[in-house]
Amino acid sequence: MVLIAILAYNACMSSTAIKSFRQLCARKVAHDSAAIVMVTAYDTPTMRLATAGGADIVLVGDSAAMVMLGYESTMSMTTNEMEILVAAVARAESDLPIVADMVWGSYHVSTEKAVKHAIDLVRAGAHAVKIEGGQERAEVIRAIVDAKIPVVGHVGLTPQSLLELGSYQVQGKDFSRAQEVLLDARAVEQAGASMIVVECVPDALSRTITEELTIPVIGIGAGRHVDGQVLVMHDLLGIGEGDLPKFVRTYADVENIAREAVAKYASDVREGNFPTSEETYHMADDVVAELRKGEDKSAVIEKESPRDSSKL
């Protein structure tokens, strides 16, 4: 019954997006393919921006916990919140494939619950789900793939492991840890993942992973010798406060542009400059006169009518 429900929903999904995702999963820079452009999207407007800007694929990332919902870390986000964002992105009716993050706690209890949460994300509009972790997540990845849902892996720095890591820092700088990240990447591919994100590792390590794996490697803070890149939409647009990671390149200053726009609006309202006559709806003078006559008559009737003290 579960698979029937997924198939029924897929009939309503963009066949172009499904086809595009399959094509992207076959793209490797080593085969002279163009690098894959992934960007995060969290609602209909950001999906429109990603589509119009020429991205290949979007990630509804749990980074929304911080850039959209005001949480201190990705670990605070709930499955319901993620499903709401995925649905909002899907309503943009774009042909870009949608990858949805499985939030912390949604795939840690059992494979059965992980598959259920993955199904919920597909029903919300996702074409694939992303799971953090390597060797320890192989069984979960395999179970979701067996349910015919594509999986994108995520190794290196895994933000959902903040309690274990203690802080967000580069992974794989020494031999033992680099070897562990490489083993994680291998395990993710062997479990059936269609694509993998490698975050915050030295470029030599990401290059080794990219050259060894047959699935596309999407880097974030992993250098340029990978099959594609992903950035958080708010970071590249310059929306937000505080210091950004070294690997982020900001392409606009939307934070200040938006702040100045709101300040100008506030000033215009307080000074009586908004709205102008051109920004106001009007009616004919004779209609206004008739309306005022009606108001005058009502006032007279109200004044002449005695009050019923029992109703006071």
Side-chain angles (χ1 to χ4, degrees):
M1 293 296 293
V2 166
L3 291 180
I4 291 174
I6 295 175
L7 290 173
Y9 183 83
N10 280 346
C12 302
M13 299 177 79
S14 167
S15 59
T16 302
I18 296 171
K19 181 179 179 181
S20 295
F21 181 77
R22 292 173 62 88
Q23 292 173 337
L24 289 172
C25 292
R27 274 167 62 169
K28 294 286 289 182
V29 172
H31 302 157
D32 296 326
S33 297
I36 297 169
V37 179
M38 178 185 281
V39 66
T40 63
Y42 308 110
D43 52 20
T44 303
T46 49
M47 182 56 153
R48 288 203 305 265
L49 290 175
T51 304
D56 296 312
I57 184 171
V58 298
L59 168 66
V60 185
D62 57 5
S63 50
M66 294 174 287
V67 302
M68 293 286 289
L69 304 180
Y71 293 128
E72 291 187 2
S73 77
T74 62
M75 296 175 67
S76 299
M77 194 169 189
T78 67
T79 55
N80 287 341
E81 288 168 337
M82 176 56 72
E83 288 167 25
I84 289 170
L85 297 186
V86 171
V89 169
R91 282 193 287 271
E93 297 183 351
S94 168
D95 286 331
L96 294 186
I98 301 169
V99 178
D101 258 332
M102 293 193 67
V103 302
W104 180 74
S106 67
Y107 55 94
H108 301 73
V109 178
S110 69
T111 55
E112 290 77 12
K113 288 190 175 182
V115 172
K116 180 188 180 302
H117 288 310
I119 289 170
D120 290 340
L121 289 173
V122 171
R123 284 178 173 154
H127 303 99
V129 298
K130 183 168 76 65
I131 294 177
E132 292 187 12
Q135 300 163 78
E136 77 279 15
R137 302 297 172 215
E139 182 182 356
V140 172
I141 293 172
R142 196 172 292 111
I144 294 174
V145 171
D146 286 345
K148 310 306 177 186
I149 299 174
V151 173
V152 175
H154 185 152
V155 301
L157 174 61
T158 49
Q160 292 178 11
S161 302
L162 178 61
L163 293 178
E164 177 186 3
L165 297 174
S167 63
Y168 302 122
Q169 53 190 341
V170 179
Q171 301 294 304
K173 296 184 76 172
D174 59 68
F175 175 77
S176 61
R177 184 57 189 136
Q179 190 174 44
E180 193 71 15
V181 174
L182 180 56
L183 290 173
D184 283 340
R186 289 172 180 166
V188 167
E189 179 176 38
Q190 290 167 4
S194 301
M195 190 180 289
I196 187 170
V197 171
V198 177
E199 181 171 358
C200 284
V201 302
D203 58 350
L205 176 56
S206 62
R207 185 172 192 169
T208 299
I209 293 172
T210 303
E211 291 174 350
E212 180 173 323
L213 269 54
T214 60
I215 60 175
V217 175
I218 308 298
I220 177 167
R224 61 189 180 87
H225 298 293
V226 288
D227 299 304
Q229 301 286 340
V230 58
L231 278 180
V232 170
M233 177 71 79
H234 289 57
D235 289 348
L236 72 88
L237 291 181
I239 302 174
E241 298 177 331
D243 297 329
L244 293 173
K246 173 183 178 179
F247 59 81
V248 172
R249 181 180 297 180
T250 300
Y251 289 85
D253 189 13
V254 174
E255 178 88 12
N256 284 327
I257 292 173
R259 185 186 296 114
E260 289 171 4
V262 174
K264 177 60 176 170
Y265 163 67
S267 175
D268 283 349
V269 170
R270 292 182 180 120
E271 294 174 7
N273 296 325
F274 176 83
T276 62
S277 179
E278 290 77 13
E279 295 160 331
T280 303
Y281 298 106
H282 303 280
M283 63 169 60
D285 291 343
D286 60 333
V287 177
V288 175
E290 188 67 25
L291 183 64
R292 288 177 175 170
K293 281 183 182 179
E295 288 179 350
D296 292 341
K297 289 178 181 178
S298 297
V300 171
I301 292 172
E302 179 67 24
K303 185 175 182 180
E304 292 177 349
S305 299
R307 288 189 173 186
D308 185 347
S309 60
S310 65
K311 294 182 180 180
L312 294 178

